Each structure stands twice: as C-alpha cells, then as structure tokens.
C-alpha cells in the first residue's frame, strides 16, 4: 500500500494532481481545500495517501497534505454510505477543524447544511465519528461555522450564486470573527467581480 508520496508537483486541477517521482507520474485525487493549499507546479511536495484497491476497478490514490486529514478521511469512508468521493467532498468544503467541531458538538444541522448531505447521513456521521475524535479543541469553530451559514443565506437572498458565495466565504480570513465584518468583506469581494 502507498502511504506517502514525495515528489515534484507537475499538474493540478480541482479533481486531481500529478506528482512525479523518478519519471513516473502518480495521479492523486484531492479535495478542493487541498487544491487551494497546493504550491505552484514544479515544487516538491509531500502527499499522504489512501490507496484504494477494489476488485474489478482501477486502483485509486486519494491525497492529503496532513496525516490528520488522511485519518479523518479513513474514518469517514468506514461509515456506511460514505464513499471516497463523498468523503473528499465533505473535507473539501471547509477546514477540518470546523468539521470536527460540528461533529463533536453533535450539530447535524450544520453538517447537512454546510456539506450538502442529508440530515440522516449527517446524523450517522456524527454517531459513528463522535467517540473517535475526542480531545479536539474547538476554539469558536462552531460560532464561525454558524456565522458563515447565516452569511450564505443572506448572500443567497441578495441574488448571489452558490459558487460565488463559497469562493468568497473561503477567501475571508478566519481571524475576522464578527458577522457584520465578514458580511462587509464578502460584499466587497463580490462587488469587485
């Protein structure tokens, strides 16, 4: 099994990256969040991998920039009804700490709203993960997640598209906590376009 790949990043897009090692390019599926954190092409990178081998299917690699994210990915795909693509999608929307805080607090409403999954699946994720992710510091992650959900609703009501909203919210620094300030900044970003 492949656990870690260290090589030169030669291609990247929203779905996968290619890392070259000794003349061989490895195609590795990544989340949108991982894609945003990647350095420029030609840079050496370390990618923690989940090597999926299923009968009668082509082997696949899923990559993460931290072991913690790989660990949570593996926990997610162990849940019935959550496959690798769904797990990547969940991890790609917001930072890992926000997701873990929502799980730890049992906030199925935040998980289903933020990650676009059904309430029953969100409840199952919480049920199966809650005991496995103890001792995680929350540091106001829930408040920020709730604030961004409120911002998303407000921006939708103003007529902005979902993709614009998601991109804008991910661009706002997390050190800005007050919803009013986050809204002003979001509107400033959106009006530039």
């Amino acid at each position: 099994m492949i656990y870690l790949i260290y090589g030169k990043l030669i291609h990247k897009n929203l779905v996968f990256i290619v890392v070259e090692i000794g003349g061989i390019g490895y195609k590795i599926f990544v989340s949108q969040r991982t894609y945003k954190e990647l350095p420029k092409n030609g840079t050496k990178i370390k990618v923690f991998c989940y090597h999926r081998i299923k009968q009668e299917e082509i082997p696949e690699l899923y990559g993460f920039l931290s072991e913690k994210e790989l660990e949570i990915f593996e926990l997610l795909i162990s849940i019935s009804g959550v496959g690798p693509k769904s797990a990547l999608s969940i991890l790609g929307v917001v930072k890992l700490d926000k997701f873990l805080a929502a799980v730890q607090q049992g906030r199925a409403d935040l998980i289903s709203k933020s990650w676009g999954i059904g309430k029953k699946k969100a409840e199952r994720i919480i049920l199966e993960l809650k005991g496995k992710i103890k001792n995680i510091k929350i540091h106001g992650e829930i408040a920020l997640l709730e604030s961004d959900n409120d911002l998303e609703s407000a921006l939708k009501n103003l007529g902005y598209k979902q993709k614009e909203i998601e991109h804008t919210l991910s661009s706002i620094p997390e050190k800005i906590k007050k919803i009013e300030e986050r809204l002003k900044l979001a509107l400033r970003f959106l009006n530039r376009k």
Side-chain angles (χ1 to χ4, degrees), residues 10 13 20 32-33 39-40 43 45 49 54 68-69 76 81 90 93 99 114 120 122 139 147 160 162 169 188:
I10 60 170
N13 64 40
E20 180 191 354
Q32 287 184 22
R33 175 138 316 267
K40 64 182 181 174
T43 306
I45 63 168
C49 294
K54 221 174 170 190
K68 183 179 179 183
E69 193 173 10
L76 278 169
I90 290 168
V93 178
F99 170 71
S114 299
K120 285 186 178 182
H139 295 302
S147 167
Y160 292 102
Q162 184 65 34
L169 292 180
R188 195 176 313 147

Side-chain angles (χ1 to χ4, degrees), residues 3 49-50 69-79:
Y3 182 76
C49 294
Y50 175 79
E69 193 173 10
L70 170 60
E71 180 184 340
I72 300 304
F73 174 83
E74 288 176 336
L75 287 173
L76 278 169
I77 62 172
S78 72
I79 297 169

Side-chain angles (χ1 to χ4, degrees), residues 68 97-98 101 104-105 135-145 174 177:
K68 183 179 179 183
D97 291 340
K98 288 182 184 176
Q104 195 176 51
Q105 293 293 305
N135 303 323
I136 294 169
K137 297 174 183 171
I138 294 173
H139 295 302
E141 299 292 348
I142 291 290
L144 194 56
L145 195 53
E174 290 191 6
K177 303 283 186 197

Side-chain angles (χ1 to χ4, degrees), residues 55-68:
Q55 283 183 329
E56 300 176 23
E57 287 186 23
I58 298 170
E60 297 174 331
L61 286 174
Y62 294 87
F64 310 92
L65 297 179
S66 75
E67 280 185 288
K68 183 179 179 183

Side-chain angles (χ1 to χ4, degrees), residues 144 172-178 181-182:
L144 194 56
I172 299 173
E174 290 191 6
K175 64 182 180 183
I176 299 171
K177 303 283 186 197
K178 292 184 180 177
E181 292 175 23
R182 291 180 74 78

